[in-house]
Amino acid sequence: MNKIALVTGASRGLGRNTALHIAKKGGDVVITYQSREQDAQAVVDQIRAMGRQALALRLDVGDVDGFPLFVEHLRAALKQTWGRDSFDHLVNNAGHGDAALIEDTTHAQFDRLVDVHFKGVFFLTQALLPLLADGGRIVNLSSGLTRMSYPGFSAYAAVKGAVEVLSVYMAKELGGRGIAVNTVAPGAIETDFLGGAVRDTPDLHGEFRTSTALGRVGMPDDIGPMIAALLGEDHRWINAQRIEVSGGYLI
Ligand code: NDP
């Protein structure tokens, strides 16, 4: 039986790349998107063209009130497409970037970061636990910014830090069901994140490149295959770890 992964925020960026590499390794994938339905459908089409099953569901991870309906949609989709009432791997990836100095950060910016990156990860995982198979895996996306500080990312990095702590607690509480939980913390990667800042701002790009031991900025292909591999059987004993994937940023 093929494993089924649920990857949130996989219409583009790191989630898209992860979903494609999970499929490349023989897994089936449910992806979610927030607004870009067509992009999500294109990812589904690409996965199906590889001979794997895939489908896309809409989800705002910052809206906990929407989770019960999402779970119902997921339950129905799993039954209809796979004849199953469970899935195997959860990748909590979806999220946005927002940068402001502490003195300029508004309550609205702060609340949205907390809602999407922390409260959303906490309660989406809670809502999905009845559907997550025993022996399954969870990967939560954090950021290199929890290890090093960069002005403007205090709220963002703090909620990612919360996710890292949460991941260890998830590993402890879910271990009895054979579920391993890890955090993947990417360095700066060229995606649409933060308006494509890493990719499109020459100064920033140069700074990240020269601060990275391997001498370049990260690409989605540096992350997706790693997460897909982490979900594989060979890595079953990795649990409760924060794994930074940054090419050696600021070491
Ligand atoms: P992108 O902006 O390229 O993609 C974000 C994805 O998340 C899209 O699929 C988007 O959906 C979805 N999304 C955004 N907000 C929400 C929401 N509230 N609810 C549901 N889905 C949402 O970002 P990345 O791929 O770069 O980032 C993915 C993850 O990696 C994030 O958690 C980010 O914090 C983390 N990260 C990124 C780094 C980077 O340098 N790129 C570095 C370290 C961590 P739609 O397309 O429909 O809008």
Side-chain angles (χ1 to χ4, degrees), residues 11-12 14 34-36 59-61 93 156 160 189 191:
S11 44
R12 51 197 165 123
L14 305 185
Q34 184 185 23
S35 57
R36 299 201 176 195
L59 170 70
D60 178 355
V61 293
N93 164 80
Y156 171 79
K160 288 300 200 185
I189 314 290
T191 67

